Amino acid sequence: MSTNPPDLRPDLARARVTDTSRAGQPTIGMVSLGCPKALVDSERILTRLRAEGYGISPDYSGADAVIVNTCGFLDSAKAESLEAIGEALKENGRVIVTGCLGAEPEYITGVHPKVLAVTGPHQYEQVLDAVHGAVPPSPDPFVDLLPASSVKLTPRHYSYLKISEGCNHKCKFCIIPDMRGRLASRPAFAVMREAEKLVENGVRELLVISQDTSAYGVDIKHAEDRGHRAHITDLARDLGSLGAWVRLHYVYPYPHVRQLIPLMAEGLVLPYLDIPFQHSHPDVLKRMARPAHTSKTLTEIAAWRDICPDITLRSTFIVGYPGETEAEFQHLLDWMDEAQLDRVGCFKYENVDGARSNDLPDHVAEEVKQERWERFMEKAQAISEAKLAAKVGSVQEVIVDDIDAEGIATCRTKADAPEIDGNLFIDEGTEGLSVGDLVTVTVDEAGEYDLWGRLG
């Protein structure tokens, strides 16, 4: 679980928040940590607050109170959350804590007893109640109207679209179901309504997120309402009709995932799957209590590539899981050679308070975890470098994320999700480009993770 980079934290990226406060208007600041799902929660909280007449402050000093949306998945994330709370207390003094770590209020108040309130993840009403108690609203009925669009903490041209909350799986290393509950899917028509508004307001890329995207709609029996059915295949097809890029994250490799691949081949959905495989060896997966084993995964990958040869596969893995032997780790390296995944991340296993994996026998020594992580990343890097080298001379459609003062454009191909994958850089002829543009580029050069190219 990685934290949001600095340019996605509103307290560190002041250009993201552009509210103009009126005289006497109460203002709230926000620090958003954790995964994109938490960022969506932050956006919804700020949208609700702005609709009630609050101003949104881009810094600590201009805020009457600060909300810290925390991450609590790993010990390192908990430490960062506690540090951010302490920083907000020091700089502002009036702090409300929410998010995943908020599920452990005593843990927070034990370190920071002066916080005003602590609420758990996606408890929007409790957060609003805490804000009302700390900073009473003072709306002007002639000025403070419901905003036409939501408060966004990401750049204007892309947006995360959360389709469900929670998870029904009980992976032994994960406490997400304990923090966020069982799967709770949003109605498909509500997801589409939000997506339509985002596209109308200039969003060019929709990043579909949840804890288990493949399971979307299972809990509501794939209900159909107002012309939209709550099934990931139907939803992907409907989203693809809006004209924006649609990128699917956190997709478990259930058999029905194969139904998504023709949509990618047709161009309705980006040819990109983010699938958390976590490991390859069946015994490790069994100890993890993973919902899907990889005995047929290589066959599925081959089938996906047969239907859509341009598909990009991204995944994350854990090395040093309790009981992992050298032979099991070597199985993973050999599997990587066969799978040839395009984008790969890797974590060294660490205990998480409340996770069942803590009690497993034969924990792996830290130095062995580090050595295996280095070997894994060397393998993944070599695969990535070879795959990118093969793209030299190809023509790619890219989206422009940034143009710096020297005119260098930072872009992404369809194979690259923001913040977690690589970039394509254009270093000349960018005078007519704007952030959010979709342009065609010829690839001139490739590195280990990034590409360079020229327009046209």
Side-chain angles (χ1 to χ4, degrees):
M1 178 68 66
S2 59
T3 58
N4 288 134
D7 62 349
L8 291 188
R9 279 183 55 177
D11 57 309
L12 299 180
R14 301 180 183 183
R16 291 280 190 259
V17 182
T18 56
D19 254 15
T20 301
S21 298
R22 57 174 170 77
Q25 184 179 29
T27 58
I28 303 296
M30 172 69 80
V31 178
S32 189
L33 304 172
C35 63
K37 293 178 285 294
L39 193 68
V40 171
D41 290 343
S42 296
E43 291 175 340
R44 288 179 177 174
I45 291 167
L46 292 181
T47 298
R48 292 281 299 274
L49 289 172
R50 197 170 79 173
E52 292 185 354
Y54 290 90
I56 309 304
S57 174
D59 54 41
Y60 293 122
S61 60
D64 295 305
V66 175
I67 300 171
V68 180
N69 192 0
T70 58
C71 179
F73 184 57
L74 297 175
D75 288 346
S76 54
K78 290 182 178 181
E80 185 189 18
S81 293
L82 290 176
E83 182 181 353
I85 294 167
E87 179 184 326
L89 284 168
K90 179 181 177 182
E91 298 294 330
N92 182 278
R94 296 170 62 76
V95 176
I96 295 163
V97 179
T98 189
C100 288
L101 192 57
E104 304 177 56
E106 297 83 4
Y107 181 83
I108 294 169
T109 56
V111 179
H112 297 299
K114 293 185 179 180
V115 297
L116 299 178
V118 180
T119 71
H122 57 87
Q123 293 181 347
Y124 307 124
E125 299 304 327
Q126 290 90 327
V127 175
L128 295 175
D129 289 343
V131 171
H132 296 160
V135 186
S138 180
D140 182 336
F142 298 103
V143 177
D144 299 322
L145 302 176
L146 183 69
S149 61
S150 300
V151 175
K152 288 184 77 273
L153 303 179
T154 50
R156 184 174 181 268
H157 62 285
Y158 69 80
S159 182
Y160 294 104
L161 182 66
K162 184 156 62 172
I163 63 173
S164 65
E165 191 58 82
C167 181
N168 288 345
H169 302 305
K170 292 292 183 180
C171 303
K172 288 186 178 180
F173 58 83
C174 182
I175 58 172
I176 292 295
D178 297 324
M179 292 190 295
R180 291 185 170 263
R182 292 179 61 79
L183 177 70
S185 301
R186 299 176 61 195
F189 77 85
V191 175
M192 287 301 300
R193 182 173 57 194
E194 179 181 354
E196 289 164 356
K197 289 182 179 179
L198 288 169
V199 174
E200 288 172 4
N201 284 295
V203 167
R204 308 296 297 274
E205 179 179 12
L206 297 167
L207 298 115
V208 177
I209 57 171
S210 67
Q211 265 78 41
D212 182 357
T213 297
S214 309
Y216 171 69
V218 169
D219 57 310
I220 54 177
K221 296 180 171 50
H222 302 305
E224 183 171 348
D225 191 356
R226 304 177 210 188
H228 298 286
R229 179 173 175 254
H231 187 285
I232 187 57
T233 305
D234 298 77
L235 180 64
R237 183 183 295 107
D238 290 346
L239 291 171
S241 70
L242 300 180
W245 282 10
V246 178
R247 191 181 301 276
L248 301 177
H249 286 283
Y250 314 122
V251 179
Y252 283 91
Y254 303 135
H256 70 264
V257 167
R258 194 182 292 196
Q259 299 170 16
L260 291 168
I261 312 305
L263 303 182
M264 299 177 181
E266 295 169 22
L268 282 177
V269 178
L270 290 184
Y272 180 101
L273 274 183
D274 176 8
I275 298 182
F277 288 122
Q278 306 298 11
H279 212 280
S280 67
H281 198 283
D283 291 343
V284 178
L285 292 167
K286 185 176 181 180
R287 293 197 297 272
M288 289 179 170
R290 289 292 290 161
H293 300 310
T294 59
S295 58
K296 298 182 179 179
T297 298
L298 292 173
T299 301
E300 280 300 300
I301 290 174
W304 299 339
R305 286 174 170 155
D306 185 56
I307 297 169
C308 183
D310 294 333
I311 193 170
T312 295
L313 299 178
R314 155 168 255 286
S315 191
T316 53
F317 296 86
I318 298 173
V319 296
Y321 190 77
E324 183 189 57
T325 65
E326 175 60 27
E328 289 170 342
F329 175 70
Q330 186 60 50
H331 183 281
L332 175 58
L333 294 183
D334 294 341
W335 186 90
M336 285 282 291
D337 279 331
E338 291 191 65
Q340 291 288 301
L341 302 183
D342 303 87
R343 300 283 188 266
V344 174
C346 183
F347 298 93
K348 291 174 287 185
Y349 172 82
E350 64 178 82
N351 284 339
V352 178
D353 286 345
R356 294 180 295 155
S357 56
N358 300 354
D359 299 325
L360 291 173
D362 303 321
H363 279 244
V364 178
E366 289 300 321
E367 59 270 21
V368 176
K369 292 181 193 176
Q370 180 65 29
E371 186 264 346
R372 289 178 182 172
W373 181 86
E374 291 172 359
R375 288 161 61 194
F376 181 93
M377 291 309 299
E378 182 180 2
K379 173 80 66 178
Q381 181 177 303
I383 293 172
S384 173
E385 189 172 10
K387 281 181 166 285
L388 292 182
K391 293 186 178 183
V392 173
S394 69
V395 177
Q396 304 283 333
E397 184 180 25
V398 304
I399 190 167
V400 181
D401 279 344
D402 183 61
I403 304 174
D404 67 16
E406 298 179 356
I408 298 176
T410 301
C411 313
R412 287 179 293 108
T413 72
K414 294 178 179 180
D416 301 301
E419 310 299 343
I420 59 174
D421 294 328
N423 293 299
L424 182 147
F425 300 99
I426 308 171
D427 51 17
E428 58 182 26
T430 61
E431 295 80 7
L433 292 185
S434 299
V435 171
D437 283 351
L438 291 172
V439 295
T440 301
V441 173
T442 300
V443 178
D444 288 332
E445 186 180 348
E448 295 169 350
Y449 298 110
D450 300 313
L451 299 170
W452 286 261
R454 65 183 188 278
L455 290 169

